[in-house]
Amino acid sequence: MRIFAMIAFLFIPFSATGLADEADPHLSSDEISRWLRIVQVKPGMGGQTTQPVPAEFRGDDSCRWANDNECDDPRYGTGACRENTDYSDCWRILTGAEDDSCRWANDNECDEPGLGTGACVQGTDSTDCGDIVALRFQTDSCETAFDGVCQERAHGGNGSCARRTDRADCLGRERPLTIFDHYFGFDDRVFMDTSIFPWVVVGQIHLDSGGACTATLIGPDVLVTAGHCIAGSNGVNHSGRFETGYGLPGGPRTARITDHFMSPGWNAERYASTDEIDGTDWALLRIDRRLGDELGFVGIRALVNEAGNRAALNADIYQAGYSHDTGEHLSGNERCRMITIYPDNTMAHECDTTRGDSGSPFMIREGNEYFIVATDSNFRRNPNGPYIYIAARSDEWVPYYEDFLSGRLGQTRRPSGGPGPVKPGIGGDPGSGLAGGGTNPFAPAGPKAE
């Protein structure tokens, strides 16, 4: 689920990873990691071939993806750059000269992009990243990934999967607890059929500013996603398109996003720098086509409020999203669980999610009907164990749904009943979640304890 990704970040002209080593020394890698939730499309990650690199490697940083901390040279990295045009990000790993020169090295947390927080240039946090580097640039994007048969030629397969695209089948599904890229340590994901319900209504939002998140149809023309997907450094901006049903005859269905409504308790700065208001990380979106009339839409359920904590913890959860590492495939979990219910409208879960899954649905099933009960949000540190993966429960936004569906609520209309539920002790600006409101979630708001 978590985080974090390929990465240049939504609504910022520079990458957060590129910023990291030049940032305020009080900016912790934990704060940096909060930026790594939204995937911006970056070319590459296909089946690049291994080529020898001269011992005296030379190059420049002329590629548009240079200095984002991630190697994009096709000989080893993502392939987003031409050879020798991403020198600063690549030279250490291409020449076998990896070191601990990053400011965040030796803090017992891997800070490489993808594998870790993204705070360090690849190859400069060698000790902390250790054996995890074997998973660099490995994906499950092959058409036959997750089928239990390795098809990469380098691992004895028939070559129907390009190099580095059949990871789970060729390298196994176990993942180190120290890796930052997924929920760990076993990857249970499978591909979902996007031509059938409910997966046909789980799609992607592509923002005009760049970046993508998962979103789900919950009405004829209404979606739900994560709030941080549309809230960036310049406030809130929903401008973009929604695509879903990639497996349908004739291809995916597309609509423009025309309106939004966020939690009255949302505060971008607080969300970016603390764990205090994760429960407000949701957004309702309106689109300009009634795709739900054609495809259907899932129901909504305030599960904890309606059934209580015990029932919620015992419920089988169905989750799916457009993970950054599965190519164009919708990947997800069947029958994972909530593991902790928090009083701030969040839950911890055990579902396998990663970057690109932000906003993805957590659903329960009743017969042939599915009901969304939470959306993928964030993660929290856990000094005594693996990271805690967080979803924002539907309990907070369900009361606003009918008013938004009918058009009585939207970006220019505030709820008549005042602010919605906010975690006790947290004062929220009731207008901060509306259009033009909020603050820069990418700006540090003071140190956060590590």
Side-chain angles (χ1 to χ4, degrees):
M1 130 198 204
R2 201 87 353 88
I3 308 190
F4 309 104
M6 223 168 316
I7 304 177
F9 304 110
L10 184 61
F11 301 126
I12 41 179
F14 46 84
S15 71
T17 51
L19 169 70
D21 281 344
E22 301 300 327
D24 186 322
H26 294 297
L27 191 63
S28 71
S29 58
D30 185 55
E31 289 172 315
I32 292 168
S33 70
R34 282 200 169 248
W35 299 335
L36 310 183
R37 299 295 297 134
I38 303 173
V39 174
Q40 183 172 8
V41 175
K42 187 176 185 180
M45 295 305 294
Q48 295 80 22
T49 58
T50 303
Q51 302 175 24
V53 180
E56 294 299 320
F57 175 49
R58 293 288 183 269
D60 57 38
D61 291 326
S62 58
C63 178
R64 64 172 293 192
W65 303 106
N67 295 305
D68 68 352
N69 289 5
E70 179 174 60
C71 178
D72 297 303
D73 191 290
R75 288 168 291 187
Y76 187 86
T78 69
C81 297
R82 290 180 294 104
E83 288 185 17
N84 305 325
T85 63
D86 192 20
Y87 175 80
S88 296
D89 292 334
C90 296
W91 73 266
R92 291 177 181 84
I93 59 177
L94 285 172
T95 61
E98 299 188 39
D99 56 34
D100 287 321
S101 58
C102 178
R103 70 157 63 160
W104 304 110
N106 297 304
D107 66 353
N108 297 316
E109 179 177 60
C110 179
D111 293 304
E112 280 207 8
L115 304 178
T117 67
C120 295
V121 176
Q122 278 176 334
T124 66
D125 194 19
S126 180
T127 299
D128 290 335
C129 295
D131 294 338
I132 298 176
V133 297
L135 295 171
R136 276 183 186 143
F137 308 118
Q138 301 283 344
T139 75
D140 292 298
S141 57
C142 181
E143 289 293 326
T144 58
F146 299 133
D147 69 351
V149 180
C150 176
Q151 302 293 10
E152 290 187 34
R153 196 176 303 281
H155 295 282
N158 64 11
S160 61
C161 289
R163 187 172 71 93
R164 304 188 309 196
T165 65
D166 200 15
R167 174 183 51 195
D169 295 334
C170 295
L171 300 180
R173 289 178 177 256
E174 293 291 341
R175 300 288 176 261
L177 291 176
T178 51
I179 201 169
F180 210 48
D181 191 54
H182 297 69
Y183 176 86
F184 295 113
F186 193 86
D187 191 345
D188 291 297
R189 292 176 300 167
V190 296
F191 286 159
M192 302 303 191
D193 185 347
T194 56
S195 68
I196 64 173
F197 190 84
W199 315 119
V200 69
V201 302
V202 180
Q204 289 181 292
I205 54 172
H206 299 271
L207 283 306
D208 293 343
S209 310
C213 279
T214 302
T216 308
L217 274 166
I218 55 171
D221 59 353
V222 172
L223 315 171
V224 67
T225 189
H228 71 259
C229 291
I230 64 169
S233 59
N234 295 318
V236 182
N237 186 346
H238 64 241
S239 180
R241 73 184 190 279
F242 172 67
E243 289 185 346
T244 195
Y246 294 93
L248 290 172
R253 308 303 191 254
T254 303
R256 291 291 300 178
I257 303 168
T258 62
D259 199 3
H260 76 264
F261 179 73
M262 295 181 67
S263 170
W266 170 264
N267 180 286
E269 181 176 299
R270 184 174 292 156
Y271 173 79
S273 59
T274 75
D275 295 326
E276 295 172 348
I277 59 168
D278 291 347
T280 67
D281 185 26
W282 55 265
L284 301 178
L285 305 176
R286 197 182 325 278
I287 53 177
D288 66 357
R289 294 180 59 193
R290 293 176 63 89
L291 295 179
D293 289 342
E294 174 189 357
L295 306 177
F297 49 89
V298 298
I300 63 175
R301 183 69 56 81
L303 182 61
V304 173
N305 286 350
E306 293 176 13
N309 285 10
R310 178 175 297 181
L313 293 171
N314 287 332
D316 288 332
I317 300 295
Y318 296 78
Q319 178 276 335
Y322 285 91
S323 305
H324 80 97
D325 60 350
T326 55
E328 298 179 352
H329 305 286
L330 180 68
S331 62
N333 302 255
E334 296 178 314
R335 296 180 175 87
C336 51
R337 292 289 182 95
M338 301 183 189
I339 55 177
T340 307
I341 305 295
Y342 297 106
D344 63 348
N345 192 49
T346 63
M347 69 174 193
H349 65 87
E350 63 176 8
C351 309
D352 294 306
T353 55
T354 183
R355 294 171 277 131
D357 284 313
S358 285
S360 63
F362 292 76
M363 298 181 289
I364 59 172
R365 180 178 180 178
E366 297 178 359
N368 293 323
E369 295 185 285
Y370 290 80
F371 299 87
I372 189 166
V373 299
T375 46
D376 186 44
S377 173
N378 214 334
F379 79 105
R380 292 172 183 162
R381 284 178 176 273
N382 180 14
N384 299 314
Y387 290 95
I388 301 170
Y389 295 95
I390 297 296
R393 304 197 321 265
S394 304
D395 301 72
E396 187 188 67
W397 59 259
V398 164
Y400 297 115
Y401 172 77
E402 290 295 338
D403 280 343
F404 186 77
L405 181 69
S406 68
R408 292 189 295 270
L409 275 182
Q411 61 174 322
T412 60
R413 303 189 181 195
R414 301 160 67 102
S416 59
V422 180
K423 184 185 292 187
I426 302 300
D429 173 6
S432 65
L434 305 181
T439 53
N440 181 357
F442 303 107
K448 184 175 182 182
E450 294 188 84

